[in-house]
Amino acid sequence: MIRPFALAVALVAGGAAAAQAPEPRVPAGMQWLYGSGEGGAATIQAYRAFRDHVLARSRHRPRDSVVLADGATLAAPRFIPCGRRPPAVVLDVDETALQNLGYEYDDAGHPGRPYDQERWNRWERTGANAVAPTPGAVAALQAIRRAGVTVIFNSNRLAAAAAENEAAIESAGLGPARHGRTLYLQGDAAPGSAKDPRRAAISARYCVIAMAGDQLGDFSDLFNARDLAVPDRRRAATGGRIAALWGNGWFVLPNPVYGSGLRGTIDEVFPAGRRWTDPQEGNR
Amino acid sequence: MIRPFALAVALVAGGAAAAQAPEPRVPAGMQWLYGSGEGGAATIQAYRAFRDHVLARSRHRPRDSVVLADGATLAAPRFIPCGRRPPAVVLDVDETALQNLGYEYDDAGHPGRPYDQERWNRWERTGANAVAPTPGAVAALQAIRRAGVTVIFNSNRLAAAAAENEAAIESAGLGPARHGRTLYLQGDAAPGSAKDPRRAAISARYCVIAMAGDQLGDFSDLFNARDLAVPDRRRAATGGRIAALWGNGWFVLPNPVYGSGLRGTIDEVFPAGRRWTDPQEGNR
Protein backbone atom coordinates (compact mmCIF):
# COMPACT_ATOMS: atom_id res chain seq x y z
CA MET A 1 0.00 0.00 0.00
CA ILE A 2 1.19 3.52 -0.78
CA ARG A 3 0.38 5.91 2.03
CA PRO A 4 -0.91 9.37 1.07
CA PHE A 5 2.23 11.25 2.06
CA ALA A 6 4.50 8.79 0.23
CA LEU A 7 2.32 9.23 -2.82
CA ALA A 8 2.62 13.02 -2.56
CA VAL A 9 6.41 12.72 -2.41
CA ALA A 10 6.36 10.48 -5.47
CA LEU A 11 4.22 12.92 -7.44
CA VAL A 12 6.38 15.90 -6.55
CA ALA A 13 9.52 13.97 -7.42
CA GLY A 14 7.90 12.94 -10.67
CA GLY A 15 8.98 9.31 -10.35
CA ALA A 16 7.97 5.99 -8.86
CA ALA A 17 11.21 5.27 -6.99
CA ALA A 18 10.42 7.62 -4.09
CA ALA A 19 7.26 5.67 -3.30
CA GLN A 20 9.49 2.75 -2.35
CA ALA A 21 11.69 4.75 0.00
CA PRO A 22 11.88 3.20 3.46
CA GLU A 23 9.13 4.25 5.85
CA PRO A 24 10.16 7.07 8.16
CA ARG A 25 10.88 5.80 11.67
CA VAL A 26 8.10 6.83 14.04
CA PRO A 27 9.46 9.04 16.86
CA ALA A 28 9.82 7.12 20.11
CA GLY A 29 7.39 9.37 21.97
CA MET A 30 4.63 8.66 19.43
CA GLN A 31 5.32 4.92 19.55
CA TRP A 32 5.01 4.98 23.31
CA LEU A 33 1.99 7.28 23.66
CA TYR A 34 -0.15 6.22 20.71
CA GLY A 35 0.99 2.68 19.96
CA SER A 36 2.14 0.91 23.09
CA GLY A 37 0.36 -1.02 25.80
CA GLU A 38 2.52 0.84 28.30
CA GLY A 39 1.27 4.24 27.10
CA GLY A 40 -2.35 3.12 27.06
CA ALA A 41 -2.01 1.66 30.54
CA ALA A 42 -0.50 4.92 31.84
CA THR A 43 -3.42 7.04 30.67
CA ILE A 44 -6.02 4.54 31.94
CA GLN A 45 -4.26 4.68 35.31
CA ALA A 46 -4.26 8.50 35.34
CA TYR A 47 -7.97 8.68 34.49
CA ARG A 48 -8.84 6.10 37.17
CA ALA A 49 -7.09 8.25 39.78
CA PHE A 50 -8.79 11.38 38.42
CA ARG A 51 -12.25 9.78 38.52
CA ASP A 52 -11.79 8.30 42.01
CA HIS A 53 -10.57 11.61 43.37
CA VAL A 54 -13.42 13.57 41.82
CA LEU A 55 -16.11 11.15 43.02
CA ALA A 56 -14.72 11.28 46.58
CA ARG A 57 -14.48 15.09 46.58
CA SER A 58 -17.93 15.56 45.11
CA ARG A 59 -19.41 13.80 48.15
CA HIS A 60 -17.66 16.09 50.64
CA ARG A 61 -17.66 19.59 49.21
CA PRO A 62 -14.19 21.06 49.80
CA ARG A 63 -13.61 24.54 51.20
CA ASP A 64 -11.03 25.44 48.55
CA SER A 65 -10.81 24.76 44.84
CA VAL A 66 -7.60 23.52 43.20
CA VAL A 67 -7.19 26.74 41.15
CA LEU A 68 -4.42 28.99 42.42
CA ALA A 69 -5.65 32.33 43.75
CA ASP A 70 -4.53 35.65 42.37
CA GLY A 71 -1.16 36.52 43.92
CA ALA A 72 -0.29 32.94 44.86
CA THR A 73 3.19 31.64 44.04
CA LEU A 74 4.49 28.14 43.43
CA ALA A 75 6.47 28.39 46.66
CA ALA A 76 3.42 29.61 48.62
CA PRO A 77 0.31 28.32 46.85
CA ARG A 78 -3.13 29.56 47.92
CA PHE A 79 -6.37 28.50 46.28
CA ILE A 80 -9.64 30.15 45.24
CA PRO A 81 -12.31 29.32 47.88
CA CYS A 82 -15.39 27.46 46.67
CA GLY A 83 -18.15 29.28 48.46
CA ARG A 84 -21.43 27.61 47.53
CA ARG A 85 -20.67 27.22 43.85
CA PRO A 86 -21.41 23.84 42.18
CA PRO A 87 -18.54 21.42 41.50
CA ALA A 88 -16.70 21.20 38.18
CA VAL A 89 -13.55 19.69 36.75
CA VAL A 90 -11.35 21.46 34.19
CA LEU A 91 -9.45 19.52 31.54
CA ASP A 92 -7.16 20.45 28.71
CA VAL A 93 -8.15 18.94 25.35
CA ASP A 94 -5.12 17.95 23.19
CA GLU A 95 -3.20 14.91 24.49
CA THR A 96 -5.28 15.17 27.66
CA ALA A 97 -8.88 14.33 26.78
CA LEU A 98 -8.17 13.36 23.20
CA GLN A 99 -5.25 12.17 21.10
CA ASN A 100 -4.53 13.89 17.79
CA LEU A 101 -3.84 10.68 15.89
CA GLY A 102 -4.53 12.10 12.42
CA TYR A 103 -2.28 15.12 12.89
CA GLU A 104 0.57 13.13 14.37
CA TYR A 105 0.24 10.52 11.61
CA ASP A 106 0.76 13.30 9.08
CA ASP A 107 3.67 14.65 11.14
CA ALA A 108 5.35 11.24 11.44
CA GLY A 109 5.29 11.01 7.65
CA HIS A 110 7.32 14.24 7.33
CA PRO A 111 10.41 13.81 9.55
CA GLY A 112 12.21 17.05 10.31
CA ARG A 113 9.38 19.29 9.10
CA PRO A 114 9.09 22.25 11.49
CA TYR A 115 5.91 23.07 13.36
CA ASP A 116 3.57 25.28 11.34
CA GLN A 117 0.75 27.06 13.16
CA GLU A 118 -1.25 27.35 9.94
CA ARG A 119 -1.09 23.60 9.42
CA TRP A 120 -2.31 23.05 12.98
CA ASN A 121 -5.16 25.48 12.32
CA ARG A 122 -6.15 23.47 9.23
CA TRP A 123 -6.12 20.36 11.44
CA GLU A 124 -8.51 22.02 13.89
CA ARG A 125 -10.87 22.81 11.04
CA THR A 126 -10.78 19.48 9.19
CA GLY A 127 -9.58 16.78 11.61
CA ALA A 128 -12.60 16.12 13.84
CA ASN A 129 -12.99 12.56 12.57
CA ALA A 130 -9.32 11.62 12.95
CA VAL A 131 -9.00 12.01 16.72
CA ALA A 132 -9.48 9.38 19.41
CA PRO A 133 -10.26 9.68 23.10
CA THR A 134 -7.28 9.23 25.41
CA PRO A 135 -7.61 5.67 26.79
CA GLY A 136 -9.57 5.88 30.04
CA ALA A 137 -11.07 9.33 29.41
CA VAL A 138 -14.54 8.44 28.13
CA ALA A 139 -15.54 6.23 31.07
CA ALA A 140 -14.05 8.65 33.61
CA LEU A 141 -15.89 11.69 32.22
CA GLN A 142 -19.17 9.73 32.09
CA ALA A 143 -18.82 8.74 35.76
CA ILE A 144 -17.92 12.31 36.74
CA ARG A 145 -20.96 13.76 34.96
CA ARG A 146 -23.22 11.10 36.51
CA ALA A 147 -22.03 12.31 39.94
CA GLY A 148 -23.35 15.79 39.13
CA VAL A 149 -19.98 17.38 38.42
CA THR A 150 -19.72 19.63 35.34
CA VAL A 151 -16.92 18.82 32.88
CA ILE A 152 -15.28 21.94 31.40
CA PHE A 153 -12.55 21.99 28.75
CA ASN A 154 -9.88 24.72 28.74
CA SER A 155 -7.92 24.58 25.50
CA ASN A 156 -5.67 26.76 23.36
CA ARG A 157 -7.51 25.70 20.24
CA LEU A 158 -8.97 28.67 18.39
CA ALA A 159 -12.27 30.32 19.30
CA ALA A 160 -12.64 31.05 15.57
CA ALA A 161 -12.97 27.27 15.03
CA ALA A 162 -15.28 26.71 17.99
CA ALA A 163 -17.84 24.61 16.10
CA GLU A 164 -15.19 22.30 14.64
CA ASN A 165 -13.51 21.97 18.04
CA GLU A 166 -16.81 21.09 19.70
CA ALA A 167 -17.26 18.47 16.97
CA ALA A 168 -13.79 16.98 17.58
CA ILE A 169 -14.46 16.58 21.30
CA GLU A 170 -17.88 15.10 20.67
CA SER A 171 -16.74 12.76 17.88
CA ALA A 172 -14.28 11.28 20.40
CA GLY A 173 -17.19 10.55 22.76
CA LEU A 174 -16.02 13.14 25.30
CA GLY A 175 -18.82 15.68 24.98
CA PRO A 176 -20.91 17.63 25.45
CA ALA A 177 -18.68 20.66 24.90
CA ARG A 178 -20.30 24.06 24.34
CA HIS A 179 -18.16 27.12 23.67
CA GLY A 180 -18.55 29.70 26.42
CA ARG A 181 -20.20 27.26 28.80
CA THR A 182 -18.25 23.99 28.96
CA LEU A 183 -15.51 24.82 26.42
CA TYR A 184 -13.06 27.71 26.84
CA LEU A 185 -10.77 28.45 23.91
CA GLN A 186 -7.81 30.68 23.12
CA GLY A 187 -8.82 34.30 23.44
CA ASP A 188 -11.75 33.67 25.76
CA ALA A 189 -11.68 35.79 28.96
CA ALA A 190 -8.41 37.47 27.82
CA PRO A 191 -6.28 37.56 24.66
CA GLY A 192 -3.52 35.01 24.17
CA SER A 193 -2.64 31.52 25.30
CA ALA A 194 -2.46 32.09 29.07
CA LYS A 195 -5.00 29.88 30.79
CA ASP A 196 -5.17 31.58 34.20
CA PRO A 197 -7.74 34.19 33.07
CA ARG A 198 -10.01 31.38 31.85
CA ARG A 199 -9.51 29.42 35.07
CA ALA A 200 -10.55 32.57 36.97
CA ALA A 201 -13.66 32.97 34.79
CA ILE A 202 -14.63 29.32 35.36
CA SER A 203 -13.99 29.70 39.10
CA ALA A 204 -16.45 32.61 39.24
CA ARG A 205 -19.20 30.11 38.44
CA TYR A 206 -17.88 26.78 39.74
CA CYS A 207 -15.87 25.13 42.49
CA VAL A 208 -13.10 23.42 40.50
CA ILE A 209 -12.38 20.21 42.42
CA ALA A 210 -9.82 18.74 39.99
CA MET A 211 -7.84 19.66 36.88
CA ALA A 212 -6.17 17.49 34.25
CA GLY A 213 -3.58 18.35 31.62
CA ASP A 214 -0.43 17.24 29.83
CA GLN A 215 1.42 20.58 30.20
CA LEU A 216 2.18 22.37 33.47
CA GLY A 217 0.44 25.44 32.00
CA ASP A 218 -2.79 23.45 32.28
CA PHE A 219 -2.50 23.95 36.05
CA SER A 220 -0.90 27.38 36.41
CA ASP A 221 0.67 29.93 34.07
CA LEU A 222 3.35 30.44 36.73
CA PHE A 223 5.14 27.40 35.28
CA ASN A 224 5.54 29.27 31.98
CA ALA A 225 7.55 32.17 33.42
CA ARG A 226 10.23 32.98 30.85
CA ASP A 227 13.04 33.13 33.37
CA LEU A 228 12.30 29.66 34.80
CA ALA A 229 15.22 27.44 33.75
CA VAL A 230 14.53 23.77 32.96
CA PRO A 231 15.91 22.36 36.26
CA ASP A 232 14.21 25.08 38.31
CA ARG A 233 10.89 24.35 36.61
CA ARG A 234 11.22 20.66 37.46
CA ARG A 235 12.03 21.53 41.06
CA ALA A 236 9.03 23.88 41.23
CA ALA A 237 6.71 21.08 40.06
CA THR A 238 8.18 18.27 42.18
CA GLY A 239 9.09 20.04 45.42
CA GLY A 240 7.39 21.89 48.23
CA ARG A 241 3.63 22.08 48.47
CA ILE A 242 3.10 21.72 44.71
CA ALA A 243 4.39 18.13 44.84
CA ALA A 244 1.47 17.16 47.07
CA LEU A 245 -1.06 18.14 44.36
CA TRP A 246 -0.14 15.50 41.75
CA GLY A 247 -2.74 12.78 41.82
CA ASN A 248 -4.49 14.81 44.51
CA GLY A 249 -6.37 17.55 42.66
CA TRP A 250 -3.94 18.05 39.77
CA PHE A 251 -3.73 15.12 37.33
CA VAL A 252 -1.05 14.98 34.66
CA LEU A 253 -1.28 12.95 31.44
CA PRO A 254 2.03 11.83 29.94
CA ASN A 255 3.03 13.56 26.69
CA PRO A 256 6.51 12.83 25.36
CA VAL A 257 5.47 13.94 21.84
CA TYR A 258 5.45 17.76 22.09
CA GLY A 259 5.21 20.68 24.46
CA SER A 260 6.97 22.44 27.27
CA GLY A 261 8.36 19.25 28.77
CA LEU A 262 10.56 18.63 25.72
CA ARG A 263 13.32 21.11 26.46
CA GLY A 264 16.76 21.13 27.93
CA THR A 265 20.41 20.59 27.08
CA ILE A 266 22.40 17.67 28.43
CA ASP A 267 23.60 19.89 31.27
CA GLU A 268 20.04 20.92 32.12
CA VAL A 269 18.47 17.45 31.92
CA PHE A 270 21.19 15.52 33.79
CA PRO A 271 22.19 16.89 37.19
CA ALA A 272 25.91 17.42 37.71
CA GLY A 273 26.14 14.94 40.59
CA ARG A 274 24.65 12.05 38.59
CA ARG A 275 26.88 11.55 35.56
CA TRP A 276 28.80 8.53 34.38
CA THR A 277 31.27 7.85 31.61
CA ASP A 278 31.80 4.32 30.35
CA PRO A 279 35.24 3.31 31.71
CA GLN A 280 35.89 1.28 28.53
CA GLU A 281 35.09 4.09 26.14
CA GLY A 282 38.72 5.17 25.69
CA ASN A 283 39.82 1.65 24.70
CA ARG A 284 37.77 1.31 21.54
CA MET B 1 32.93 23.74 30.63
CA ILE B 2 33.97 20.76 28.56
CA ARG B 3 31.95 17.69 29.40
CA PRO B 4 33.80 14.34 29.66
CA PHE B 5 32.45 12.90 26.42
CA ALA B 6 33.19 16.08 24.46
CA LEU B 7 36.70 15.97 25.87
CA ALA B 8 37.08 12.35 24.77
CA VAL B 9 36.00 13.27 21.25
CA ALA B 10 38.50 16.11 21.21
CA LEU B 11 41.35 13.86 22.37
CA VAL B 12 40.53 11.17 19.81
CA ALA B 13 40.28 13.77 17.05
CA GLY B 14 43.58 15.19 18.20
CA GLY B 15 42.35 18.78 18.03
CA ALA B 16 40.48 21.42 19.98
CA ALA B 17 37.85 22.18 17.37
CA ALA B 18 35.74 19.13 18.16
CA ALA B 19 35.31 20.31 21.74
CA GLN B 20 33.34 23.24 20.35
CA ALA B 21 31.01 21.10 18.24
CA PRO B 22 27.37 21.77 19.04
CA GLU B 23 25.98 19.76 21.93
CA PRO B 24 24.05 16.67 20.85
CA ARG B 25 20.32 17.26 21.16
CA VAL B 26 18.92 15.32 24.10
CA PRO B 27 16.26 12.81 22.92
CA ALA B 28 12.75 14.05 23.64
CA GLY B 29 11.94 11.09 25.89
CA MET B 30 14.92 11.85 28.13
CA GLN B 31 14.01 15.54 28.29
CA TRP B 32 10.50 14.65 29.34
CA LEU B 33 11.28 11.85 31.82
CA TYR B 34 14.45 13.13 33.48
CA GLY B 35 14.30 16.89 32.96
CA SER B 36 10.73 18.13 32.89
CA GLY B 37 8.27 19.13 35.55
CA GLU B 38 5.65 17.17 33.62
CA GLY B 39 7.66 13.94 33.86
CA GLY B 40 8.40 14.42 37.55
CA ALA B 41 4.74 15.17 38.23
CA ALA B 42 3.68 12.01 36.38
CA THR B 43 5.86 9.72 38.50
CA ILE B 44 4.86 11.44 41.76
CA GLN B 45 1.23 10.89 40.74
CA ALA B 46 1.83 7.20 39.95
CA TYR B 47 3.58 6.61 43.29
CA ARG B 48 0.81 8.38 45.20
CA ALA B 49 -1.77 6.04 43.62
CA PHE B 50 0.47 3.03 44.32
CA ARG B 51 0.94 3.99 47.98
CA ASP B 52 -2.75 4.76 48.56
CA HIS B 53 -3.81 1.48 46.99
CA VAL B 54 -1.30 -0.56 49.00
CA LEU B 55 -2.20 1.09 52.30
CA ALA B 56 -5.91 0.45 51.69
CA ARG B 57 -5.36 -3.18 50.67
CA SER B 58 -3.03 -3.89 53.56
CA ARG B 59 -5.88 -3.08 55.98
CA HIS B 60 -8.30 -5.53 54.32
CA ARG B 61 -6.36 -8.61 53.30
CA PRO B 62 -7.51 -9.56 49.79
CA ARG B 63 -8.42 -13.12 48.82
CA ASP B 64 -6.36 -13.00 45.62
CA SER B 65 -2.97 -11.55 44.78
CA VAL B 66 -2.38 -9.47 41.64
CA VAL B 67 0.00 -12.07 40.15
CA LEU B 68 -1.51 -14.06 37.28
CA ALA B 69 -1.92 -17.75 38.05
CA ASP B 70 -0.33 -20.49 35.98
CA GLY B 71 -2.47 -21.08 32.90
CA ALA B 72 -4.18 -17.69 33.02
CA THR B 73 -4.45 -15.69 29.81
CA LEU B 74 -4.76 -11.96 29.15
CA ALA B 75 -8.30 -12.56 27.88
CA ALA B 76 -9.23 -14.63 30.94
CA PRO B 77 -6.99 -13.55 33.83
CA ARG B 78 -6.98 -15.53 37.08
CA PHE B 79 -4.81 -14.70 40.06
CA ILE B 80 -2.75 -16.62 42.61
CA PRO B 81 -4.76 -16.81 45.87
CA CYS B 82 -3.17 -15.27 48.96
CA GLY B 83 -3.91 -17.87 51.60
CA ARG B 84 -2.49 -16.60 54.89
CA ARG B 85 0.76 -15.32 53.48
CA PRO B 86 1.98 -11.86 54.54
CA PRO B 87 1.54 -8.90 52.18
CA ALA B 88 4.23 -7.69 49.79
CA VAL B 89 4.59 -5.40 46.79
CA VAL B 90 6.80 -6.22 43.79
CA LEU B 91 8.55 -3.48 41.84
CA ASP B 92 10.84 -3.41 38.87
CA VAL B 93 14.05 -1.40 39.43
CA ASP B 94 15.21 0.49 36.30
CA GLU B 95 13.01 3.47 35.36
CA THR B 96 10.52 2.21 37.94
CA ALA B 97 12.09 2.60 41.38
CA LEU B 98 15.21 4.41 40.18
CA GLN B 99 16.29 6.48 37.20
CA ASN B 100 19.58 5.63 35.47
CA LEU B 101 20.68 9.24 35.08
CA GLY B 102 24.40 8.48 34.72
CA TYR B 103 23.92 5.84 32.05
CA GLU B 104 21.48 7.93 30.04
CA TYR B 105 23.78 10.96 30.34
CA ASP B 106 26.53 8.89 28.73
CA ASP B 107 24.08 7.65 26.09
CA ALA B 108 22.82 11.16 25.28
CA GLY B 109 26.41 12.17 24.59
CA HIS B 110 26.77 9.47 21.91
CA PRO B 111 23.84 9.94 19.51
CA GLY B 112 23.19 6.96 17.26
CA ARG B 113 25.39 4.59 19.25
CA PRO B 114 23.68 1.17 19.39
CA TYR B 115 22.79 -0.54 22.66
CA ASP B 116 25.66 -2.64 24.00
CA GLN B 117 24.87 -5.20 26.70
CA GLU B 118 28.49 -5.14 27.89
CA ARG B 119 28.34 -1.39 28.44
CA TRP B 120 25.12 -1.80 30.43
CA ASN B 121 26.86 -4.49 32.51
CA ARG B 122 29.71 -2.08 33.26
CA TRP B 123 27.10 0.47 34.31
CA GLU B 124 25.57 -2.05 36.75
CA ARG B 125 29.01 -2.61 38.26
CA THR B 126 30.20 1.00 38.50
CA GLY B 127 27.16 3.29 38.41
CA ALA B 128 25.65 2.95 41.89
CA ASN B 129 26.39 6.58 42.74
CA ALA B 130 24.99 8.03 39.52
CA VAL B 131 21.36 6.91 39.90
CA ALA B 132 18.47 8.82 41.48
CA PRO B 133 15.18 7.63 42.92
CA THR B 134 12.18 8.08 40.63
CA PRO B 135 10.35 11.16 41.98
CA GLY B 136 7.77 9.95 44.49
CA ALA B 137 9.28 6.51 45.08
CA VAL B 138 11.20 7.07 48.31
CA ALA B 139 8.28 8.42 50.33
CA ALA B 140 5.89 5.81 48.92
CA LEU B 141 8.16 2.86 49.77
CA GLN B 142 8.76 4.23 53.26
CA ALA B 143 5.00 4.48 53.91
CA ILE B 144 4.43 0.99 52.52
CA ARG B 145 7.11 -0.55 54.74
CA ARG B 146 5.74 1.32 57.78
CA ALA B 147 2.37 -0.36 57.10
CA GLY B 148 4.04 -3.77 57.46
CA VAL B 149 4.17 -4.59 53.75
CA THR B 150 7.42 -6.08 52.41
CA VAL B 151 8.96 -4.31 49.39
CA ILE B 152 10.49 -6.74 46.88
CA PHE B 153 12.38 -5.79 43.71
CA ASN B 154 12.19 -7.98 40.58
CA SER B 155 14.79 -6.83 38.06
CA ASN B 156 16.64 -8.11 35.00
CA ARG B 157 19.89 -6.74 36.36
CA LEU B 158 22.50 -9.46 36.75
CA ALA B 159 22.70 -11.79 39.72
CA ALA B 160 26.49 -11.77 39.18
CA ALA B 161 26.47 -8.08 40.18
CA ALA B 162 24.09 -8.56 43.10
CA ALA B 163 26.17 -6.55 45.60
CA GLU B 164 26.54 -3.58 43.24
CA ASN B 165 22.84 -3.67 42.42
CA GLU B 166 21.90 -3.74 46.11
CA ALA B 167 24.19 -0.72 46.51
CA ALA B 168 22.53 1.16 43.62
CA ILE B 169 19.06 0.67 45.12
CA GLU B 170 20.24 1.65 48.57
CA SER B 171 22.24 4.68 47.38
CA ALA B 172 19.01 6.00 45.87
CA GLY B 173 17.33 5.73 49.28
CA LEU B 174 15.05 2.89 48.17
CA GLY B 175 16.47 0.05 50.25
CA PRO B 176 16.84 -2.28 51.93
CA ALA B 177 17.34 -4.72 49.04
CA ARG B 178 18.83 -8.16 49.77
CA HIS B 179 19.45 -10.60 46.96
CA GLY B 180 17.34 -13.74 47.34
CA ARG B 181 15.06 -12.14 49.91
CA THR B 182 13.90 -8.70 48.77
CA LEU B 183 15.79 -8.53 45.46
CA TYR B 184 15.26 -10.99 42.59
CA LEU B 185 17.63 -10.72 39.65
CA GLN B 186 18.04 -12.20 36.18
CA GLY B 187 18.57 -15.95 36.45
CA ASP B 188 16.96 -16.29 39.88
CA ALA B 189 14.25 -19.00 40.02
CA ALA B 190 14.81 -19.84 36.32
CA PRO B 191 17.34 -18.91 33.60
CA GLY B 192 16.72 -15.88 31.40
CA SER B 193 14.84 -12.62 31.53
CA ALA B 194 11.29 -13.92 32.01
CA LYS B 195 9.90 -12.56 35.27
CA ASP B 196 6.95 -14.95 35.77
CA PRO B 197 9.09 -17.64 37.46
CA ARG B 198 10.35 -15.05 39.95
CA ARG B 199 6.81 -13.78 40.55
CA ALA B 200 5.79 -17.39 41.28
CA ALA B 201 8.68 -17.82 43.71
CA ILE B 202 7.78 -14.58 45.51
CA SER B 203 4.11 -15.62 45.60
CA ALA B 204 5.04 -18.87 47.37
CA ARG B 205 6.07 -16.73 50.34
CA TYR B 206 3.95 -13.58 50.06
CA CYS B 207 0.57 -12.23 49.05
CA VAL B 208 1.51 -9.72 46.35
CA ILE B 209 -1.03 -6.91 46.73
CA ALA B 210 0.43 -4.56 44.09
CA MET B 211 3.08 -4.46 41.37
CA ALA B 212 4.83 -1.55 39.68
CA GLY B 213 6.86 -1.41 36.47
CA ASP B 214 7.63 0.56 33.33
CA GLN B 215 7.37 -2.42 30.93
CA LEU B 216 4.36 -4.71 30.51
CA GLY B 217 6.68 -7.65 31.23
CA ASP B 218 6.89 -6.32 34.79
CA PHE B 219 3.29 -7.55 35.19
CA SER B 220 3.11 -10.67 33.02
CA ASP B 221 5.40 -12.37 30.50
CA LEU B 222 2.29 -12.98 28.38
CA PHE B 223 2.75 -9.45 27.01
CA ASN B 224 6.11 -10.49 25.56
CA ALA B 225 4.74 -13.26 23.31
CA ARG B 226 6.68 -13.05 20.04
CA ASP B 227 3.59 -13.25 17.85
CA LEU B 228 1.83 -10.35 19.57
CA ALA B 229 1.77 -7.48 17.04
CA VAL B 230 2.08 -3.90 18.30
CA PRO B 231 -1.64 -3.00 17.96
CA ASP B 232 -2.73 -6.34 19.46
CA ARG B 233 -0.42 -5.83 22.41
CA ARG B 234 -1.93 -2.40 23.04
CA ARG B 235 -5.43 -3.86 22.83
CA ALA B 236 -4.48 -6.65 25.25
CA ALA B 237 -3.26 -4.09 27.79
CA THR B 238 -6.10 -1.59 27.43
CA GLY B 239 -9.12 -3.82 26.85
CA GLY B 240 -11.10 -6.49 28.65
CA ARG B 241 -10.39 -7.34 32.27
CA ILE B 242 -6.71 -6.29 32.08
CA ALA B 243 -7.75 -2.63 31.61
CA ALA B 244 -9.33 -2.65 35.08
CA LEU B 245 -5.98 -3.44 36.73
CA TRP B 246 -4.14 -0.21 35.86
CA GLY B 247 -4.02 1.96 38.93
CA ASN B 248 -5.84 -0.84 40.74
CA GLY B 249 -3.17 -3.40 41.57
CA TRP B 250 -0.90 -2.87 38.57
CA PHE B 251 0.89 0.49 38.46
CA VAL B 252 2.79 1.63 35.39
CA LEU B 253 5.57 4.22 35.38
CA PRO B 254 6.03 6.16 32.12
CA ASN B 255 9.17 5.33 30.14
CA PRO B 256 9.48 6.90 26.69
CA VAL B 257 13.28 6.39 26.73
CA TYR B 258 13.68 2.66 25.99
CA GLY B 259 11.95 -0.68 26.10
CA SER B 260 9.13 -2.70 24.64
CA GLY B 261 6.83 0.31 24.29
CA LEU B 262 9.12 1.90 21.68
CA ARG B 263 8.15 -0.18 18.68
CA GLY B 264 5.91 0.08 15.68
CA THR B 265 5.76 1.38 12.13
CA ILE B 266 3.50 4.25 11.11
CA ASP B 267 0.86 1.71 10.09
CA GLU B 268 1.08 -0.06 13.45
CA VAL B 269 1.07 3.06 15.63
CA PHE B 270 -1.70 4.98 13.83
CA PRO B 271 -4.97 3.09 13.27
CA ALA B 272 -6.28 3.11 9.71
CA GLY B 273 -9.48 4.92 10.62
CA ARG B 274 -7.69 7.89 12.23
CA ARG B 275 -5.42 9.38 9.58
CA TRP B 276 -5.25 12.86 8.14
CA THR B 277 -3.32 14.51 5.35
CA ASP B 278 -2.83 18.26 5.31
CA PRO B 279 -5.14 19.52 2.53
CA GLN B 280 -2.61 22.27 1.67
CA GLU B 281 0.36 19.95 1.34
CA GLY B 282 0.08 19.62 -2.45
CA ASN B 283 0.14 23.42 -2.96
CA ARG B 284 3.59 24.08 -1.54
Side-chain angles (χ1 to χ4, degrees), chain A residues 220-244:
Chain A
S220 168
D221 291 331
L222 293 171
F223 291 111
N224 292 333
R226 277 177 189 277
D227 58 348
L228 197 57
V230 167
D232 293 335
R233 187 170 177 274
R234 183 165 168 106
R235 269 190 289 274
T238 61
R241 289 177 54 200
I242 296 296

Side-chain angles (χ1 to χ4, degrees), chain A residues 66-91:
Chain A
V66 297
V67 175
L68 289 180
D70 206 29
T73 64
L74 297 175
R78 287 180 303 107
F79 299 90
I80 296 176
C82 281
R84 299 185 57 79
R85 294 186 291 283
V89 296
V90 174
L91 289 87

Side-chain angles (χ1 to χ4, degrees), chain A residues 45 122 131 252 274 278, chain B residues 36 45 122 131 252 274 278:
Chain A
Q45 175 174 297
R122 289 191 291 275
V131 300
V252 65
R274 295 285 180 277
D278 182 358
Chain B
S36 78
Q45 176 173 298
R122 290 191 290 277
V131 299
V252 65
R274 296 286 181 275
D278 182 358

Side-chain angles (χ1 to χ4, degrees), chain A residues 122-150:
Chain A
R122 289 191 291 275
W123 162 249
E124 283 192 28
R125 292 190 181 281
T126 65
N129 293 320
V131 300
T134 299
V138 169
L141 296 191
Q142 284 173 346
I144 287 168
R145 289 189 178 106
R146 274 199 304 271
V149 177
T150 301

Side-chain angles (χ1 to χ4, degrees), chain A residues 234-278:
Chain A
R234 183 165 168 106
R235 269 190 289 274
T238 61
R241 289 177 54 200
I242 296 296
L245 289 164
W246 302 114
N248 183 35
W250 291 6
F251 293 82
V252 65
L253 277 294
N255 182 1
V257 175
Y258 65 81
S260 56
L262 274 55
R263 286 186 195 150
T265 63
I266 287 186
D267 286 344
E268 289 171 324
V269 170
F270 296 98
R274 295 285 180 277
R275 294 176 184 177
W276 179 81
T277 303
D278 182 358

